[in-house]
Amino acid sequence: MARFIIRSLISTAITLLIVSIALFLLLEVGSGDITLKILGVFSTPEQRASYRNQLGLDAPVYLRYVDWLIGNEWRAERNVGYDLVTVPNPQTGEDEWWADVNGQLTRWSLEDGELFALTRQEDGSTIASPADVTWAVGENGQESFWGVDDKNNAVKWVRGEGAEVWVLTKAGLRKEGDGPQDYIPLRKGLIKGDAGKSLQYGRPVSLTLWPRVRNTLILAGAAFLVVMPIALVLGIIAGINEGRPIDRFISVTSLGATATPEFVTGIFLIMIFGIWLKWLPAVAIFTSPDAIFENPLLLALPVLTLTAVELGYVIRMTRASMVEVMGSPYIRTAILKGMPYWRVVVRHAVRNALMAPITIIMLHVNWLIGGVVVVETIFGYPGLGKYIFDAAIFGDVNAVEAAAMLTVTIAVLTRILGDLAYTFLNPRIRYA
Amino acid sequence: MKMYWSDKACFVIRSKVKVNFDAPDLVLSQENDMAVAQPTAGAVPVQGPSRWAKIWKSLSIVFESRIATVGLGLVLFWVLLGLISLVWTPYPPNASDFVQNLPPNSTNWLGTDHLGRDVLSRLMVGTQVILLKTRLPWGGLIFPIGVAIWGVIGSVLVGSFLGLNAGYRGGWWDQVTMQFLDALIAFPVIVLYLVVIAALGQGDLVVILAITVTGAPGVARLVRSLALDIKTRDYIRAAETRGESPWYIMFVEILPNARGPLLVDSMLRVGYAIFAIGTLGFLGIGLPPPDPDWGNMVNEARKNIFSNQWAVIWPSLAIASLVIGLNLFADGLREELTRYQK
């Protein structure tokens, strides 16, 4: 058993590694010039080149992949020469990078060719003083210095040669002198929970992602709680009445429910309950981040849609498994020896029949996530699905990568759980 | 013997949607070794029935299942509408000739949409991009057979290749292929679509690629399991003894014998593909304009859902009925096929 768990964990790790490489290559390399999307089509090649440098996109692909996955402070530390640490900003709560210069958290900035050291005080404010640093002399006599700037980059300044850089501010692009020559945007890496900055919101992806994940968990959890009992009961009823009209009815209806796209189901539910009957709100408008707790009715239609879609699948699974069990010799024996029919069904058949559906449902999480994307888009529900969708539309690679990795991880982990559940439920299976 | 099988192989590739099982015992069976081991016993055309009689016999399996017949009827209905729309539609599908948001009436049988276009014409033309034609990006070239079907053909080709290699060769091939496929399967399908489209942009070919990528792992797993079963048969050993190359054995000996389950699976996959195209169209990232796309019709019409529900209902029903039709067809077929196995 332990060997099986270890083996499946290793296999999962390899799977996730392949997924991360594929995702990264597809998005970072496949999507072309990201700066064009951020700066707009009217930006000049010069502006885009400057911005590419600031985002660290000039580095080779493999290096960017490593940066993305495991961070790059180890790489930047070799240049800077000090330990790089993160401290949360007291106002925004977002992590900031500082260099640890003999216990004093420091950043630098270049003003009018003069380098200033900004030292961090206890309350988060900084004190600027002329920097006392040693400039490294390059081969061509250039004096350069690697430090940390106030935008969380490790940067290379050259003495007396402030580069002109285009800085993206809320008001648009601005040209600034005294800029660094080279950038390494500091990040901790995906495995340490830092997925970089969302190109769409300009804030760290992890901060914008978690509230969405919570909303989706509530939605999916509610749907799950509604689906399971109904689906299992209907599936068992259909299974013990195989071939009778009630089975035909349940089977065909559930086939219809699975084969109907989520958005069609959603639209029809909106029309029936939102427009004609006016019982439920047709869209989920969040007036505050906690709107679903204040008005749980917002959840009703999204949950109902997910339920309608998932119900059919689970019913079909349960029915097939029940039919198989009811045809097995030990059920025939139980009936032949004169046990009451219901007792045979409840005591002997159901227990064995539920094994397959319960594990298959775990494997089905992939599908549920797909349903969630569509359902959240229909109802405007701010969850993980809508997050991925919006990010993909915008071309927000960092956000898409992080959210996709998250969904894949969830899917893979639930698959292992499903395998394990199956072993525990079915004593006949032993993994070598 | 050899001729016969290679002939079959072409046959399978040529006929993607129509199912032709000349003899029920050709279907792969797990219980009955004889059925697969001597598949030609009843079908070698020495003095057998004529070609048409054989085709009819293979088609008649569809009509033995009421579910499959209903499914086939639904699918043929849409194919027929699509074919008609190639030469005639009631009105030009993209012209705003009418008052906006009309309910169904005698001029516009299904009403008009938010731009005053005839919904029936758009619905009819909407079948084309899915089932009948593919628009290539180069100079407005048009290729026959629709996006959904090309996508499935793509996934069957890629999936069979990977699955045959993994199943027949085993060992290292198997390990690497399955690990790779596990990674692909781990993606929620819609997320994979979104990623592909975020990276490559919109277009018919991108949608075909997305369907191929998402479908291939499933096909590969199926073909692998079939290949693992078939490669234990005597005729494979015979071919190995003859000194046939692995490629010959995989594609000429194994693949034709796996076609029964593979065909049912691809039928289901066409359903999934149409489902997916509808969903992508609904999300606004599917097949590009100007041709009307059902999913996109739903998406545009739902913005006016409070004033005009008809324009939402029709394309929704169209997608649902076509997908359900394909599912019923595949389900009924599978039921009939497994009945022969027993």
Side-chain angles (χ1 to χ4, degrees):
Chain A
M1 192 66 195
R3 262 185 69 192
F4 165 71
I5 296 177
I6 291 171
R7 244 181 48 194
S8 55
L9 281 181
I10 291 174
S11 154
T12 308
I14 298 175
T15 303
L16 286 176
L17 193 69
I18 298 177
V19 167
S20 72
I21 293 175
L23 254 182
F24 187 83
L25 285 183
L26 199 59
L27 282 165
E28 298 266 338
V29 182
S31 57
D33 193 357
I34 307 171
T35 55
L36 195 63
K37 279 177 187 148
I38 306 168
L39 300 181
V41 285
F42 295 112
S43 55
T44 64
E46 182 205 1
Q47 291 169 334
R48 288 202 293 272
S50 170
Y51 202 63
R52 279 182 72 80
N53 191 11
Q54 290 174 49
L55 291 179
L57 294 175
D58 291 332
V61 172
Y62 69 92
L63 209 54
R64 282 197 282 136
Y65 172 74
V66 172
D67 285 358
W68 172 70
L69 192 66
I70 60 172
N72 57 7
E73 80 266 28
W74 55 274
R75 189 156 69 88
E77 272 169 10
R78 275 194 308 209
N79 285 332
V80 177
Y82 301 107
D83 281 347
L84 300 177
V85 292
T86 54
V87 178
N89 180 312
Q91 260 116 46
T92 61
E94 293 168 16
D95 275 348
E96 289 179 333
W97 286 93
W98 296 83
D100 189 354
V101 183
N102 310 325
Q104 185 71 49
L105 297 181
T106 314
R107 288 169 161 185
W108 291 271
S109 80
L110 196 65
E111 273 161 41
D112 299 328
E114 200 72 35
L115 193 68
F116 284 92
L118 309 170
T119 46
R120 187 179 194 275
Q121 306 303 306
E122 285 299 313
D123 58 350
S125 62
T126 54
I127 294 176
S129 57
D132 172 30
V133 295
T134 45
W135 294 81
V137 183
E139 288 162 12
N140 49 4
Q142 245 184 5
E143 285 181 298
S144 64
F145 170 71
W146 275 92
V148 180
D149 75 352
D150 53 0
K151 294 188 186 71
N152 297 322
N153 302 310
V155 295
K156 181 176 127 186
W157 282 290
V158 173
R159 188 175 226 171
E161 280 184 47
E164 294 202 324
V165 290
W166 289 91
V167 181
L168 186 66
T169 64
K170 279 192 181 122
L173 279 172
R174 199 177 64 224
K175 198 174 185 176
E176 282 180 0
D178 291 335
Q181 307 281 354
D182 207 359
Y183 292 83
I184 300 177
L186 290 168
R187 55 205 305 179
K188 281 192 274 187
L190 196 65
I191 34 179
K192 280 177 245 160
D194 176 13
K197 235 178 197 172
S198 159
L199 305 178
Q200 197 175 359
Y201 305 111
R203 299 178 57 206
V205 168
S206 43
L207 285 184
T208 50
L209 191 60
W210 291 117
R212 303 300 199 91
V213 173
R214 185 200 61 173
N215 287 347
T216 293
L217 282 182
I218 293 170
L219 175 64
F224 190 78
L225 288 183
V226 178
V227 169
M228 288 324 289
I230 302 178
L232 293 181
V233 167
L234 286 181
I236 289 169
I237 291 177
I240 54 179
N241 291 305
E242 191 199 356
R244 302 220 185 104
I246 184 164
D247 169 42
R248 285 281 164 206
F249 177 73
I250 293 180
S251 300
V252 171
T253 321
S254 59
L255 176 66
T258 350
T260 315
E262 296 95 350
F263 67 95
V264 174
T265 319
I267 291 276
F268 277 100
L269 288 174
I270 288 181
M271 257 179 321
I272 295 168
F273 293 105
I275 296 176
W276 292 333
L277 296 175
K278 292 197 171 56
W279 286 354
L280 300 167
V283 284
I285 298 170
F286 274 52
T287 45
S288 72
D290 291 325
I292 26 175
F293 301 110
E294 291 151 18
N295 184 7
L297 221 51
L298 287 177
L299 270 174
L301 275 183
V303 167
L304 212 55
T305 311
L306 267 185
T307 307
V309 174
E310 292 296 303
L311 202 57
Y313 184 83
V314 185
I315 288 180
R316 279 158 68 84
M317 281 298 144
T318 319
R319 176 189 173 273
S321 160
M322 193 70 192
V323 166
E324 200 189 315
V325 169
M326 287 306 281
S328 59
Y330 73 91
I331 296 293
R332 198 171 51 204
T333 312
I335 292 174
L336 284 180
K337 80 179 180 193
M339 272 178 84
Y341 184 68
W342 276 109
R343 228 178 120 159
V344 176
V345 170
V346 176
R347 294 278 303 268
H348 294 237
V350 169
R351 260 186 63 164
N352 281 304
L354 288 190
M355 223 143 57
I358 284 176
T359 49
I360 284 173
I361 288 156
M362 296 300 280
L363 310 185
H364 194 52
V365 169
N366 257 354
W367 226 61
L368 186 67
I369 293 172
V372 161
V373 173
V374 178
V375 168
E376 287 179 358
T377 313
I378 300 176
F379 294 98
Y381 185 90
L384 179 62
K386 188 140 186 358
Y387 186 84
I388 302 181
F389 174 68
D390 289 341
I393 295 291
F394 186 86
D396 187 347
V397 265
N398 283 341
V400 175
E401 280 161 358
M405 276 313 284
L406 185 67
T407 56
V408 171
T409 313
I410 294 172
V412 171
L413 289 183
T414 48
R415 196 158 69 187
I416 294 185
L417 279 183
D419 282 353
L420 288 181
Y422 198 68
T423 359
F424 280 117
L425 287 174
N426 189 349
R428 279 167 297 186
I429 289 193
R430 286 285 175 264
Y431 292 98
Chain B
M1 190 72 164
K2 199 198 270 182
M3 276 305 292
Y4 178 83
W5 281 117
S6 53
D7 186 19
K8 287 293 143 191
C10 302
F11 189 60
V12 171
I13 289 164
R14 260 190 276 122
S15 58
K16 274 299 152 194
V17 179
K18 289 281 176 304
V19 174
N20 298 276
F21 297 102
D22 347 12
D25 57 356
L26 272 175
V27 174
L28 179 75
S29 124
Q30 269 125 24
E31 289 88 12
N32 186 354
D33 274 26
M34 292 302 283
V36 178
Q38 301 177 336
T40 53
V44 167
V46 183
Q47 283 176 327
S50 76
R51 196 178 174 81
W52 290 110
K54 274 198 331 194
I55 291 177
W56 175 248
K57 200 184 163 204
S58 54
L59 278 180
S60 66
I61 191 179
V62 172
F63 301 108
E64 271 164 40
S65 154
R66 210 187 315 160
I67 294 181
T69 317
V70 171
L72 185 65
L74 276 173
V75 175
L76 285 183
F77 169 74
W78 285 112
V79 172
L80 196 68
L81 268 192
L83 286 175
I84 293 174
S85 77
L86 286 175
V87 287
W88 177 83
T89 51
Y91 305 99
N94 286 328
S96 328
D97 287 345
F98 304 96
V99 180
Q100 292 145 13
N101 289 329
L102 286 181
N105 56 52
S106 56
T107 11
N108 308 104
W109 289 358
L110 302 184
T112 60
D113 69 359
H114 64 293
L115 295 177
R117 297 173 294 192
D118 183 50
V119 172
L120 176 60
S121 311
R122 289 178 68 72
L123 216 54
M124 286 170 71
V125 177
T127 51
Q128 288 180 10
V129 274
I130 302 177
L131 296 173
L132 300 175
K133 68 170 188 190
T134 302
R135 294 157 296 164
L136 299 179
W138 309 287
L141 270 178
I142 287 177
F143 210 67
I145 306 188
V147 171
I149 298 171
W150 275 123
V152 174
I153 293 177
S155 45
V156 168
L157 289 180
V158 176
S160 309
F161 180 83
L162 294 176
L164 281 173
N165 275 302
Y168 178 66
R169 294 179 193 259
W172 186 81
W173 278 88
D174 195 24
Q175 291 281 327
V176 173
T177 316
M178 291 327 278
Q179 189 70 62
F180 174 70
L181 293 178
D182 268 353
L184 265 185
I185 288 176
F187 270 101
V189 174
I190 197 104
V191 175
L192 196 53
Y193 283 132
L194 284 175
V195 167
V196 169
I197 283 161
L200 302 178
Q202 270 178 285
D204 286 12
L205 291 183
V206 175
V207 174
I208 291 179
L209 180 76
I211 294 173
T212 303
V213 172
T214 47
V219 177
R221 292 196 144 208
L222 176 72
V223 172
R224 174 179 174 269
S225 66
L226 292 170
L228 281 178
D229 180 28
I230 295 173
K231 83 170 178 188
T232 60
R233 307 294 157 117
D234 286 340
Y235 56 83
I236 301 294
R237 218 161 303 145
E240 283 168 351
T241 318
R242 283 207 304 275
E244 303 286 5
S245 75
W247 297 106
Y248 177 89
I249 294 173
M250 280 190 280
F251 285 92
V252 185
E253 301 279 356
I254 297 181
L255 190 58
N257 283 302
R259 68 195 170 139
L262 197 54
L263 271 177
V264 174
D265 184 66
S266 14
M267 210 86 57
L268 276 175
R269 279 182 196 285
V270 175
Y272 298 153
I274 294 171
F275 194 112
I277 293 173
T279 306
L280 290 179
F282 176 77
L283 295 175
I285 51 174
L287 301 172
D291 290 70
D293 167 52
W294 290 347
N296 200 26
M297 284 169 71
V298 178
N299 183 33
E300 285 174 1
R302 91 186 158 111
K303 288 160 193 160
N304 303 331
I305 193 172
F306 282 92
S307 54
N308 177 14
Q309 284 106 47
W310 290 105
V312 185
I313 292 176
W314 297 121
S316 305
L317 280 181
I319 297 175
S321 67
L322 183 52
V323 178
I324 290 174
L326 278 161
N327 270 279
L328 289 175
F329 185 43
D331 253 35
L333 212 58
R334 186 164 45 193
E335 232 166 68
E336 287 301 311
L337 292 180
T338 45
R339 184 170 304 161
Y340 276 117
Q341 277 182 18
K342 288 171 188 165

